[in-house]
Amino acid sequence: MSRERLYLFDTTLRDGAQTNGVDFTLADKLTIARLLDELGIDYVEAGYPGANPIDTSFFAERRPMRARLTAFGMTRRPGRSASNDPGLVGLLDAQADAICFVAKSWDYHVRVALETTEEENIASIRDSVRVAKAKGREVLLDCEHFFDGYKAKPGFALACAMAAYEEGARWVVLCDTNGGTLPHEVERIVGEVCALIPGDHVGIHAHNDTEQAVANSFAAVRAGARQIQGTLNGLGERCGNANLVSIIPTLKLKPDYAKKFEIGVTDEALGRLARVSHALDELLNRAADRHAPYVGESAFATKAGIHASAIVKEPATYEHVEPERVGNKRKLLVSDQAGRSNVLAELDRIGLAIDKNDPRVMRLLDEVKEREAIGYAYEAADASFELLARRMLGQLPHYFDVEKFDVNVEQRISGKGEALTVSQAVVKLKVGDEELISVAEGIGPVNALDVALRKDLGKYQRFITGLELTDYRVRILNGGTQAVTRVLIESADENGDRWTTIGVSANIIDASFQALMDSIVYKLVKSGAPA
Ligand SMILES: [Zn+2]
């Protein structure tokens, strides 16, 4: 049976850019557009030329890509001709393959927000689609507030959609702009639209205000829509847009969809999905959502002992899809609840094969339990666990010694009379016979220590150049200033690999230092640095 083509439209760079705290530079936009293109997205909506200088310069030149590069903008303003509307003229000049217009389709908005008539709103849709077609662009129309509009006055909402379709718009996109529509309503309304406009010209644009943007997208597809609009990691205003990172694997891996539909994302590209998702977080300088479906660090993590022994024998017992298909990995959490099977499976994954009756397995498990009793949490720190295991099995090269370190924090009054806090760290290392002393200043004591520690590792320096700290988390266990501090550090390297290390101490600097050291040593092991 031949499969039907379903199209993916990404608006991370336009709707996603509306997210609180997100500010893409031109370079960010170009990087993300390339990621989306390599992933196999059909349409990349890169912005709103004319609305801000970055979007205007994005579309000022041709950006060759396989995906159809789409510019977003408004239909002609009411009461003006298309050629007399500077916004529309600018949009038509944008170097884009497609233009996605947004227009009102709710009579209430036409009256209150646009202060015009329903007839003029429809005429504006017709004129705009026509001029963009004449300019050789593929045209899409986002029908804003379509579902609310349809509930209020179905005839008008449909007339807006029909006007675009009749003028030759390739896609009429039904938007749940407020994000409050429920899946069964989406399915019914999209079904009614598809009775008039062929589904392979109908798209869905869902927002996540009831946490059902993904479900609403699938409801629309079931009712006939053949284009899904969404963003990477569900980025978007308020609660976000439909998350393409969840939608794509469902389309590819769930037989109900996979047998029926074909999308532009290959199996090979699907295998890079987790990396694409993390790349966006990194660019936004955010910690990745550990619990994100398919791509989160915990998406395929199992903790309890009995589940773990079953999962080792037969992964399908506790996994709905194979983690490798989306570029993720199975993780058996090693913790004080863990049994031997977790430890064995984890050693196997790391590549430290060991006989299951080797007494060192129990010794390692005891060590983990002892350390967890004083505050370590190895289930959250895969790299520190690996180092612990390697040390116990005699498989950890000895790279260097820290002879001493010294960190100070000093507050002084600047020339302008402002209080200024500066930190300085000195680290004394011994690498082989070489003694190295590094001094660095930092924003805070941990930053200063990190910079000093990584400044000069002598012959090992070249192995850690791509190392980067991506997240730093501190937790005070059992309260008060006498309490124990747990530090978790997430690191990444030039290959896009990520790992987490841990440190525990009554002293926050000491705990941070342990976690920083583990991260560096792990990177050296990973890079195959010689002892
Ligand atoms: Zn939107």
Side-chain angles (χ1 to χ4, degrees), residues 11 14-16 18 45 72 142 144 175-178 205-207 229 236-238 240-241:
T11 181
R14 201 274 304 167
D15 226 349
Q18 312 277 6
E45 187 173 58
F72 174 88
D142 271 2
E144 201 185 39
C175 303
D176 185 24
T177 311
N178 288 349
H205 177 110
H207 277 265
Q229 299 201 344
E237 222 177 342
R238 307 187 309 275
N241 285 58

Side-chain angles (χ1 to χ4, degrees), residues 429-483:
L429 293 176
K430 195 160 183 206
V431 182
D433 293 330
E434 212 182 347
E435 290 233 321
L436 301 163
I437 296 180
S438 300
V439 182
E441 285 202 341
I443 301 166
V446 176
N447 178 239
L449 192 56
D450 175 37
V451 177
L453 199 51
R454 292 199 279 150
K455 206 169 188 178
D456 189 5
L457 263 194
K459 61 177 177 172
Y460 295 122
Q461 190 61 26
R462 65 191 175 95
F463 294 98
I464 63 160
T465 45
L467 175 64
E468 212 186 308
L469 302 194
T470 53
D471 195 23
Y472 173 80
R473 276 170 289 155
V474 178
R475 182 144 173 227
I476 311 294
L477 307 170
N478 58 37
T481 47
Q482 294 288 312

